[in-house]
Amino acid sequence: MLTALVFAPTAVALLLLALPARTPLTALRLVWPATAAVELGLVIAVWAGYETGGGRQYEVRARWIPSAGVGYHVGVDGLSLPLLALTCVLFLACAVYSLRETRRVRAYAALFLFLQTTCLGLFVSLDLILFFVFFDLSIVAMYFVIAGWGHRDARQAALQFFLYTFTGSLALLLGFIGLYLAASPHTFDIVELTRQNPLAGRSAYAALVLLALVVGLAVKTPTVPFHTWLPPAHTEAPAAGSAILAGVLLKMGTYGFLRIAMPLLPEAWRRYALTLVVIGVVSVLHGALVALAQSDFKRMVAYTSVNHMGYIVLAVGAAAATADTSAQARSLALTGSVTQMVSHGLITGALFLLAGVLYERGRTYEMAAYGGVAALAPVFAALTGVAAFASLGLPGFSGFVAEFQIFAGSLGPRPLATALAVLGILLTAGLFLRALRQILTGPLRLPDAPGTPRAFPDLRAHESAAVVPLLAGAVVLGITPRFLLDVIEPASRTVLELVDR
């Protein structure tokens, strides 16, 4: 089941590329959303068959490079299943949003289908090299999405994105090799490495391996000071590319902390947890403050991603630093970190698609170029308002559930850090309220650059069909999060047991 889920999009992409040149454009456009819908159906079936608290399930093992200790080993648990579902939901939303794409539709759809395989493959990987392969292939696919379908400076932004994240992946590979060499027998299998705990009692070696892993994952997340590639990549990427970049690809870094760094390096993680807490708080405040200074709507949303990823880093650091506090609080922080990944993916994915709508109408993201848009496009205004308030973490939305868990789990052991992180919410509220007031209210004002259409039509059917389900998901998780938390909580407790060894 998992193998089909992972590789079906790439198989369809190859078929799509093999279709005759005379294939109608409408048929080419429909292949991607149809495949994404089937993928969503498959992940729902996986979720329905998943036994809560049953540990790893749907495992598949196959020989790949046995002489090097590399195997094809995949499976899901409470950490990966929510991210699989998020991936399928976001790719379907982006496929629907892109139904009116006119530029090289066949290659565009094939590239996104391949990108979906890399994202799903990474989240089910239980082998470090398999994880690395999907990690790197996602960089390649996103590079071509940004460079091929982005805006004016897309190629430069894509190159910067590639160089930064590829450098991070090399650091990650060094860390993986360090774990491999320490294990006996040598292996890249995550389950076997977790059982061996090969760097126990080897503090200097473990510190170097942890440094390599943290740098590699922090670049992808991204956290301060490795975040500088993110704003230009988002600003120049097409809307669907930004939604996937923020909604799914950033989660590869934070997921790696929980899947690899914490269980495979428990002693080193506990020793340096305070460093992670500091990085998390700095990312929260820096992301919010720089977002507040932006005049470009999409760039502002991009910096809020740095802010929101900082909450996750704070939580995973605080969970390891709370050895003297209750296991419930530590579990709460970790569960909140995974919930935040899902919540951020839904809400920020919607915000980037709405930013794409703004650009498609006005050819600019500059907030000062707009005013009074709510009078012309009430549905766009309403959904943008809902997405902004959801991003603030207001009660009733998934962000509230996630951030409440993170703050409640982190406050006891790290009161100062948590108090500072709460300031990030106030700053985020200020910047979103300013953006809503500037764009949606006041006298009507639209961009008047040459070639810019004066009209600002409201959301079209396919745009609404892409954005509304994402925000509806944020509301459902905000009101009835139990079905999600029942899956995450047992996995969080397992990670904490491994960290405590």
Side-chain angles (χ1 to χ4, degrees):
M1 175 72 91
L2 286 186
T3 299
L5 178 71
V6 170
F7 291 103
T10 293
V12 174
L14 293 174
L15 290 173
L16 189 61
L17 294 174
L19 288 175
R22 61 179 180 279
T23 304
L25 184 60
T26 303
L28 295 176
R29 283 176 170 161
L30 291 177
V31 168
W32 180 19
T35 307
V38 171
E39 287 288 289
L40 182 59
L42 286 174
V43 85
I44 290 173
V46 169
W47 194 301
Y50 182 80
E51 295 181 16
T52 302
R56 290 185 306 277
Q57 295 168 42
Y58 296 99
E59 277 191 87
V60 177
R61 291 176 185 266
R63 290 164 58 84
W64 184 16
I65 315 173
S67 59
V70 181
Y72 176 79
H73 186 188
V74 297
V76 295
D77 62 6
L79 300 180
S80 54
L81 184 55
L83 296 176
L84 285 183
L86 171 69
T87 300
C88 290
V89 168
L90 266 179
F91 270 90
L92 178 57
C94 290
V96 172
Y97 180 88
S98 304
L99 277 173
R100 293 187 63 168
E101 177 63 47
T102 57
R103 298 171 295 167
R104 293 161 287 156
V105 173
R106 185 196 304 255
Y108 187 72
L111 202 50
F112 270 95
L113 287 166
F114 173 67
L115 184 58
Q116 185 169 2
T117 284
T118 67
C119 297
L120 294 171
L122 182 137
F123 292 131
V124 302
S125 291
L126 292 176
D127 183 279
L128 292 177
I129 295 302
L130 195 61
F131 182 99
F132 176 78
V133 168
F134 286 122
F135 190 93
D136 258 17
L137 289 179
S138 72
I139 297 171
V140 174
M142 183 53 71
Y143 167 82
F144 284 110
V145 167
I146 297 172
W149 287 266
H151 305 313
R152 186 178 53 191
D153 297 323
R155 292 189 176 182
Q156 183 178 349
L159 182 61
Q160 186 177 0
F161 158 80
F162 185 88
L163 292 178
Y164 260 84
T165 52
F166 187 67
T167 302
S169 76
L170 294 179
L172 198 61
L173 182 60
L174 286 177
F176 290 171
I177 293 173
L179 284 164
Y180 169 81
L181 294 176
S184 179
H186 297 325
T187 180
F188 285 103
D189 189 275
I190 294 175
V191 177
E192 177 60 22
L193 286 168
T194 302
R195 187 190 65 77
Q196 287 191 24
N197 191 12
L199 293 177
R202 304 169 70 177
S203 57
Y205 191 160
L208 290 174
V209 171
L210 181 64
L211 177 63
L213 296 184
V214 168
V215 168
L217 297 171
V219 170
K220 192 77 168 185
T221 297
T223 66
V224 175
F226 305 110
H227 65 292
T228 52
W229 62 266
L230 184 71
H234 273 305
T235 305
E236 300 302 330
S242 287
I244 296 301
L245 178 59
V248 182
L249 264 63
L250 302 191
K251 310 305 177 295
M252 293 179 177
T254 50
Y255 174 75
F257 286 129
L258 280 92
R259 172 62 66 204
I260 298 170
M262 294 180 77
L264 270 57
L265 294 158
E267 289 180 15
W269 187 267
R270 292 197 304 271
R271 187 174 304 116
Y272 298 103
L274 180 59
T275 305
L276 271 295
V277 171
V278 172
I279 291 173
V281 173
V282 171
S283 296
V284 166
L285 296 178
H286 178 80
L289 286 170
V290 178
L292 191 61
Q294 299 304 310
S295 60
D296 180 303
F297 182 71
K298 199 176 184 188
R299 204 173 180 89
M300 181 196 78
V301 176
Y303 273 109
T304 63
S305 289
V306 178
N307 163 270
H308 284 106
M309 292 299 100
Y311 293 126
I312 298 174
V313 177
L314 165 66
V316 297
T322 59
D324 297 330
T325 60
S326 72
Q328 184 180 4
R330 304 170 64 202
S331 176
L332 198 60
L334 271 195
T335 302
S337 70
V338 181
T339 309
Q340 176 76 334
M341 293 184 214
V342 177
S343 173
H344 177 264
L346 293 172
I347 297 168
T348 305
L351 277 169
F352 276 120
L353 293 183
L354 289 165
V357 171
L358 191 71
Y359 185 87
E360 195 269 338
R361 271 50 164 186
R363 297 293 186 270
T364 179
Y365 296 115
E366 283 296 323
M367 291 184 280
Y370 300 91
V373 169
L376 291 178
V379 177
F380 169 79
L383 293 182
T384 304
V386 170
F389 285 113
S391 187
L392 303 182
L394 288 186
F397 294 104
S398 54
F400 173 78
V401 178
E403 290 171 10
F404 172 77
Q405 290 176 312
I406 290 173
F407 293 142
S410 305
L411 186 62
R414 302 294 179 196
L416 177 60
T418 307
L420 290 172
V422 171
L423 291 177
I425 293 182
L426 296 177
L427 294 170
T428 308
L431 66 92
F432 270 117
L433 291 175
R434 184 200 60 173
L436 294 178
R437 178 184 58 79
Q438 195 163 17
I439 297 173
L440 303 180
T441 64
L444 181 62
R445 185 172 61 256
L446 294 173
D448 56 359
T452 301
R454 294 290 301 180
F456 196 103
D458 210 344
L459 285 190
R460 300 182 177 95
H462 71 287
E463 293 165 340
S464 297
V467 173
V468 170
L470 299 181
L471 296 179
V475 173
V476 169
L477 292 179
I479 297 173
T480 60
R482 195 67 257 165
F483 75 96
L484 176 66
L485 301 181
D486 283 344
V487 170
I488 300 173
E489 285 171 353
S492 298
R493 289 193 291 270
T494 300
V495 172
L496 287 177
E497 290 170 4
L498 295 170
V499 170
D500 286 343
R501 291 179 293 170

